[in-house]
Amino acid sequence: MPLPGLWLLLSFGCAASLSPSCLSAQFRRPGDFILGGLFPFGKDTVNLTARSEPTLLLCERLFTDGLIWALGMRFTIDQINNSSSLLPGITLGYDMYDTCFEPLVALQPSLLFLTRNGTTGIGVLCNYTEYQPRVTAVIGPHQSDLCLVTAKLFSSFLIPQVSYGASSETLSNTELYPSFYRTVPSDKNLAEAVVLLLNQFGWNWVATVGSDDEYGRGSQSLFLSMAGTNNICIAFEGLIPTDLAEPSARKQLEDTVRAINSTKVNVVVLFAYSLPAQALLEHSIRMGLGKKVWIGTEAWILSSITASIPNVQSIGTVLGFVMRTGTVLGFQEYVAELFSSVAQEEFCRRSKELSRLMNPEVLDTHCQQCDQVTLRDIWATLSVTTVQPVHVAVYSVAQALHRALGCTTKSCPKTAIKSWQLLHFMNTLPFEVMGQSFRFDQSHSTNTGYKLIFWAWRDGSLTHLPVGDYDQTLYIRRTQIQFHTMDKKEPTSECFRRCEAGQFRRIKGFNLCCYDCTDCSENTFWSSTDSTGCSPCPQHQWAPARSTRCYDRTERFLFWDSALAVTLVTIMALTALLICGTALLFLKHLRSPLVQVSGGGRSLFTLLMLLLQSLSCCLYVGRPSAVLCSLQQLSYAFCLNGCFSTFVPKALEITLLTEFPRRAPRLLQWVTHGRAWLLVAASLLIQALLSFCHLRLGPDFLVADYKSLPSEVLLVCGTQSWTAFALLHGYNSCLAFACFLCTFMVQTPAKRYNVARGITFATLIFFIIWIFFLVIFATLRTVLRPVTQICTILATTLGILASYFMPKCYILVFRPDLNTGDFCQNPGEEEPEEVSRE
């Protein structure tokens, strides 16, 4: 750390044999308005003397950039003073000081600039409106760290400060720094450019390193925030020391190189000034890091310090963004002429006289390590170092001063102008520099865009080859970039293998860029290359496993042309033919004892109901609808009721004859002959009422089932209300159970036909079928549900037909001798006679 009172004024040798003070005097000159200059010429004497000889030689290279920037300010002011249209009749002076790269050192000239004009003291006032400081405006300093210190100070007095290199985004806060301006873009624009570069090459697994200063920390922080929103993952982020003399600096650099190597990244983004960048690259070469793509910034990519590292070509490919600037015409000739004049004694004499007018006792300390500078020492740097930002900074103040004074192209009034009066013109009005228009934006910056630079090595010499441009968008000339890979193509830098179509990224660990590729499951699809999951298909669509799109579902129901439907319809037709044949046979023998004992005409009605019941199977085939769903259960229940209602009179008749023989003669008239039809009609009427209740409570409805089948939508009839279902079918179950109770215990004398046995077996078969049907029907949710209902209908129909009608048909066809009155008597018809004899 420098001594508090130590200040270094730039001192250069005119020649090897002349006093080194004559050139340094050229950086102090009086004028009508004085501009303060802050430039990084070198390190202070105290720190330099404590370092080794190689570091001293390195620091001697550092101050050449500051020297060129200072010469750029002097050149611009001389150009303005010689102009006949800008500030005519007004002379600009300057007072330049070395910042020594130290904030505390930069404060000393800053305080000097704030002193009241003509004194060495700063006035403590309530109102600084009429306060006239030593300088009208300040140019510099270059680094963001120093500007954060000085900008707060100058903003308190509203003295315009224009930096030619400070890019920290923090300085964009015009509320904290209202009088701070800069002629370079902010780090936010740089971070955006770097993110676009990574995205264009598909590099999403990178390491980022920043110098431990305001520039490195600020730039890295902006880059990290933008990388996270652009699917760029950071494998490693770290800071490297700026003070390389610290004992822990070497270990910190080595740890950084090891961390980069462990991540297996192929791209490293480096935000640092030339000295920290040089140290990191040297350690990377020494520790065998391997070739990487290094993405840099203007802070180190154009520096001769990093380019002169031994074996620097082995680090890989170097790309970086530098501010897009123009050439300052006449500057190199001006510097060459200045250095040729330094050797003249008259030049040195006039320089010393001008220096005395600027009060040489104030901060007039010489830097002995900065002597003996010749044109040859700075010529190589002169072609690389950008002078235009300094040139534009001086012109921005000069043109604001021109407008504040109310100057014309011919003259300027000799009036006093306060520093704060320049701010209005700098904020609102554009200005021209050598035919190019500039303007400070809302954050007091000038965004001229960037050039993408590629380090091209040709015959051992380095060329900074422009290969792209950035101005809101990035354009890259890829064919001009030759990467370090075998095929000269860009390397990949990813933590993962690229997932194929139909696979999504399953994150593993804590890093979002490290993942496994997993196939999309059924009914999901892969939507984009960056997705971390598969998107579900809409309900009406489906997708196979590992699909990239969804497909429309096809409808699934019991089609008429399906093999199962054809088989069931065939069985239904055969059943209908069998019923019709039975009906014809019964009709032919309608007056015979067997048919009469079986119910006579009611048997034909039973066969009609069975025929309609079998034909109702057609309601279950084909595309279902809401109407068909309602009719299915109603038709089955109504037809089955018609069948069982004809069994009830016969079952009651048998019960009366067998169980109540004494009362049978009085009651038989209500269950036989014409009155038996009243029971049938009453039963059908009750079933009709229950069917109406079923429709009101909740009929079956059409269900589009998207879950049961993977690629089809299943159209089935669903049960809306099981209460309504129970009411509809419960009555038939009660009739069947009543018939079963009335007939299952009836004993028939030998050589007599047992009419009750047919009713018993018919109702028993019905109950067995319905037990299986209810279990399957309540749980089945596939296309087999209508098949189950058809099979139930056919099984019930065939069961009743086989148990009740087929034995009678056998007698009518094969044993007509049994179709007699004696054989076909009702059970118990003789019992009353025997009782009467007793």
Side-chain angles (χ1 to χ4, degrees):
M1 184 62 66
L3 297 176
L6 182 63
W7 182 254
L8 302 180
L9 179 64
L10 179 64
S11 176
F12 299 103
C14 301
S17 60
L18 297 178
S19 168
S21 62
C22 64
L23 184 59
S24 65
Q26 287 296 307
F27 293 92
R28 308 186 74 184
R29 178 180 293 181
D32 296 324
F33 295 94
I34 304 298
L35 302 185
L38 299 172
F39 297 95
F41 295 127
K43 292 288 183 180
D44 59 277
T45 306
V46 176
N47 282 344
L48 284 177
T49 55
R51 297 185 179 180
S52 61
E53 186 64 24
T55 307
L56 287 175
L57 295 175
L58 185 60
C59 289
E60 288 177 6
R61 296 192 199 120
L62 272 175
F63 77 86
T64 56
D65 283 339
L67 171 60
I68 292 171
W69 287 324
L71 292 174
M73 178 175 174
R74 185 183 185 278
F75 165 75
T76 307
I77 291 178
D78 286 347
Q79 195 178 55
I80 294 171
N81 287 338
N82 294 328
S83 173
S84 60
S85 59
L86 182 59
L87 294 174
I90 298 295
T91 302
L92 295 180
Y94 47 86
D95 197 0
M96 304 181 197
Y97 291 92
D98 184 6
T99 63
C100 297
F101 298 94
E102 294 290 347
L104 282 178
V105 176
L107 274 176
Q108 290 179 309
S110 299
L111 292 171
L112 176 63
F113 293 156
L114 292 175
T115 60
R116 191 188 298 271
N117 193 17
T119 69
T120 57
I122 300 176
V124 180
L125 306 174
C126 293
N127 188 349
Y128 285 89
T129 304
E130 299 300 325
Y131 186 81
Q132 186 66 53
R134 178 185 176 90
V135 298
T136 304
V138 179
I139 306 299
H142 177 265
Q143 288 180 290
S144 298
D145 303 65
L146 306 185
C147 285
L148 287 172
V149 176
T150 59
K152 196 71 174 176
L153 192 63
F154 291 129
S155 292
S156 300
F157 288 80
L158 294 182
I159 296 177
Q161 177 187 3
V162 187
S163 174
Y164 51 89
S167 56
S168 173
E169 181 64 17
T170 306
L171 293 166
S172 297
N173 190 336
T174 55
E175 292 184 0
L176 291 177
Y177 312 103
S179 67
F180 178 82
Y181 300 83
R182 55 186 166 198
T183 54
V184 294
S186 73
D187 289 337
K188 181 179 180 181
N189 298 301
L190 177 63
E192 290 174 350
V194 173
V195 168
L196 286 176
L197 174 66
L198 296 175
N199 280 336
Q200 285 209 21
F201 283 109
W203 295 326
N204 57 12
W205 181 242
V206 301
T208 175
V209 181
S211 54
D212 194 7
D213 52 26
E214 176 60 29
Y215 170 72
R217 291 189 299 268
S219 300
Q220 189 179 66
S221 177
L222 287 170
F223 170 71
L224 291 174
S225 63
M226 294 181 187
T229 59
N230 285 271
N231 297 322
I232 297 173
C233 291
I234 307 302
F236 169 78
E237 58 176 286
L239 297 174
I240 54 177
T242 54
D243 190 353
L244 303 177
E246 291 183 359
S248 61
R250 181 184 180 89
K251 182 179 184 302
Q252 191 172 347
L253 288 166
E254 291 177 349
D255 291 343
T256 300
V257 174
R258 292 191 191 98
I260 294 173
N261 188 51
S262 65
T263 59
K264 308 299 182 183
V265 298
N266 289 324
V267 178
V268 182
V269 181
L270 179 57
F271 299 102
Y273 287 111
S274 54
L275 272 179
Q278 178 216 19
L280 178 64
L281 294 178
E282 284 180 342
H283 279 77
S284 300
I285 296 170
R286 181 176 60 82
M287 298 175 64
L289 177 62
K291 293 185 177 183
K292 308 288 183 185
V293 176
W294 293 84
I295 298 177
T297 64
E298 190 170 2
W300 67 269
I301 198 169
L302 295 180
S303 174
S304 59
I305 296 174
T306 52
S308 60
I309 298 173
N311 199 26
V312 70
Q313 300 95 322
S314 65
I315 65 173
T317 304
V318 178
L319 294 169
F321 289 97
V322 299
M323 189 176 64
R324 188 189 296 133
T325 58
T327 303
V328 179
L329 298 177
F331 177 65
Q332 290 188 349
E333 294 80 0
Y334 174 84
V335 174
E337 182 181 350
L338 180 63
F339 270 86
S340 64
S341 301
V342 167
Q344 302 174 10
E345 292 186 11
E346 179 64 21
F347 178 86
C348 292
R349 185 186 62 79
R350 285 189 289 107
S351 296
K352 291 177 180 179
E353 289 178 357
L354 290 173
S355 182
R356 288 192 195 100
L357 298 175
M358 292 298 296
N359 192 1
E361 289 79 16
V362 179
L363 299 178
D364 191 12
T365 306
H366 296 283
C367 173
Q368 300 301 323
Q369 283 75 24
C370 298
D371 296 343
Q372 313 304 330
V373 178
T374 64
L375 181 61
R376 185 178 60 183
D377 295 330
I378 68 169
W379 189 255
T381 310
L382 190 62
S383 61
V384 177
T385 303
T386 302
V387 182
Q388 190 189 36
V390 180
H391 192 63
V392 173
V394 177
Y395 262 99
S396 67
V397 175
Q399 295 207 24
L401 184 60
H402 182 95
R403 289 162 176 161
L405 288 170
C407 299
T408 65
T409 57
K410 295 182 179 180
S411 64
C412 285
K414 295 287 184 177
T415 58
I417 288 293
K418 305 300 184 294
S419 297
W420 59 268
Q421 293 177 301
L422 301 181
L423 299 181
H424 168 73
F425 299 98
M426 297 182 70
N427 289 341
T428 58
L429 298 176
F431 58 94
E432 284 193 5
V433 180
M434 300 180 66
Q436 186 177 357
S437 180
F438 294 88
R439 187 178 193 137
F440 292 112
D441 57 22
Q442 292 181 347
S443 61
H444 292 178
S445 306
T446 57
N447 186 8
T448 57
Y450 295 95
K451 290 189 298 183
L452 180 62
I453 298 299
F454 166 61
W455 273 16
W457 294 93
R458 296 173 182 172
D459 300 327
S461 61
L462 174 61
T463 301
H464 298 100
L465 181 64
V467 293
D469 295 282
Y470 170 75
D471 189 1
Q472 307 302 323
T473 58
L474 179 63
Y475 170 72
I476 303 176
R477 295 180 285 276
R478 298 195 180 202
T479 56
Q480 297 183 6
I481 305 175
Q482 293 185 347
F483 289 91
H484 59 268
T485 54
M486 294 294 294
D487 58 358
K488 306 299 181 183
K489 301 295 184 181
E490 66 268 16
T492 59
S493 188
E494 301 170 323
C495 176
F496 51 84
R497 64 181 178 89
R498 288 195 175 275
C499 294
E500 299 179 3
Q503 295 181 323
F504 71 95
R505 302 175 180 180
R506 185 182 297 277
I507 306 299
K508 59 180 181 180
F510 298 98
N511 201 299
L512 296 179
C513 279
C514 294
Y515 53 80
D516 294 322
C517 295
T518 306
D519 293 347
C520 291
S521 60
E522 289 186 354
N523 291 326
T524 62
F525 71 100
W526 174 73
S527 58
S528 68
T529 55
D530 297 326
S531 61
T532 57
C534 297
S535 303
C537 291
Q539 185 174 254
H540 65 282
Q541 292 183 323
W542 75 286
R546 198 170 172 176
S547 177
T548 58
R549 55 165 295 191
C550 293
Y551 304 89
D552 291 334
R553 289 176 178 267
T554 56
E555 293 181 345
R556 180 70 181 275
F557 47 85
L558 189 59
F559 293 95
W560 282 100
D561 55 353
S562 64
L564 188 57
V566 171
T567 302
L568 293 174
V569 171
T570 303
I571 296 174
M572 179 200 71
L574 294 175
T575 303
L577 289 176
L578 185 60
I579 293 172
C580 291
T582 303
L584 291 175
L585 185 62
F586 267 58
L587 183 61
K588 180 180 179 180
H589 300 88
L590 183 61
R591 299 299 178 184
S592 65
L594 181 60
V595 175
Q596 288 298 316
V597 79
S598 300
R602 295 194 303 276
S603 296
L604 295 177
F605 182 78
T606 303
L607 290 171
L608 175 62
M609 290 294 104
L610 291 178
L611 177 63
L612 294 177
Q613 181 172 285
S614 63
L615 294 178
S616 69
C617 293
C618 296
L619 298 176
Y620 299 87
V621 185
R623 191 183 191 282
S625 65
V627 175
L628 288 177
C629 289
S630 300
L631 291 177
Q632 286 175 358
Q633 296 297 331
L634 294 178
S635 62
Y636 177 48
F638 204 80
C639 292
L640 192 62
N641 182 267
C643 176
F644 286 148
S645 63
T646 59
F647 289 165
V648 170
K650 179 55 67 176
L652 292 176
E653 180 184 354
I654 294 173
T655 301
L656 289 174
L657 291 174
T658 57
E659 301 298 330
F660 307 99
R662 297 182 182 275
R663 299 181 182 180
R666 295 192 304 273
L667 298 177
L668 283 176
Q669 58 181 337
W670 294 100
V671 295
T672 57
H673 307 295
R675 293 186 179 182
W677 286 103
L678 292 177
L679 291 177
V680 174
S683 178
L684 291 174
L685 179 60
I686 294 172
Q687 186 63 53
L689 293 174
L690 293 174
S691 297
F692 178 77
C693 293
H694 176 265
L695 292 175
R696 297 294 295 176
L697 290 176
D700 287 7
F701 63 103
L702 180 63
V703 177
D705 185 0
Y706 294 96
K707 297 180 180 180
S708 298
L709 302 176
S711 61
E712 298 168 305
V713 52
L714 178 63
L715 300 180
V716 293
C717 295
T719 303
Q720 184 173 349
S721 171
W722 286 102
T723 302
F725 181 89
L727 284 176
L728 183 66
H729 294 285
Y731 179 59
N732 287 332
S733 300
C734 291
L735 291 181
F737 187 66
C739 293
F740 178 78
L741 290 179
C742 291
T743 59
F744 83 103
M745 290 294 290
V746 174
Q747 297 293 328
T748 302
K751 297 182 180 180
R752 295 288 179 89
Y753 178 71
N754 191 343
V755 180
R757 190 68 51 83
I759 298 175
T760 302
F761 280 109
T763 54
L764 183 61
I765 291 173
F766 165 76
F767 283 120
I768 294 173
I769 293 173
W770 260 76
I771 290 172
F772 287 101
F773 166 72
L774 286 176
V775 174
I776 298 173
F777 182 76
T779 57
L780 203 60
R781 289 292 184 273
T782 67
V783 74
L784 295 178
R785 193 177 194 191
V787 174
T788 304
Q789 292 174 284
I790 293 175
C791 292
T792 301
I793 293 173
L794 293 178
T796 304
T797 304
L798 290 173
I800 295 174
L801 195 64
S803 60
Y804 188 78
F805 289 99
M806 286 300 103
K808 297 175 178 59
C809 291
Y810 174 80
I811 294 174
L812 292 175
V813 175
F814 297 104
R815 296 296 302 274
D817 56 301
L818 297 179
N819 190 7
T820 62
D822 293 335
F823 183 77
C824 297
Q825 282 184 337
N826 280 326
E829 281 187 351
E830 295 181 357
E831 296 297 327
E833 297 176 4
E834 294 176 3
V835 174
S836 61
R837 289 191 197 101
E838 293 176 0

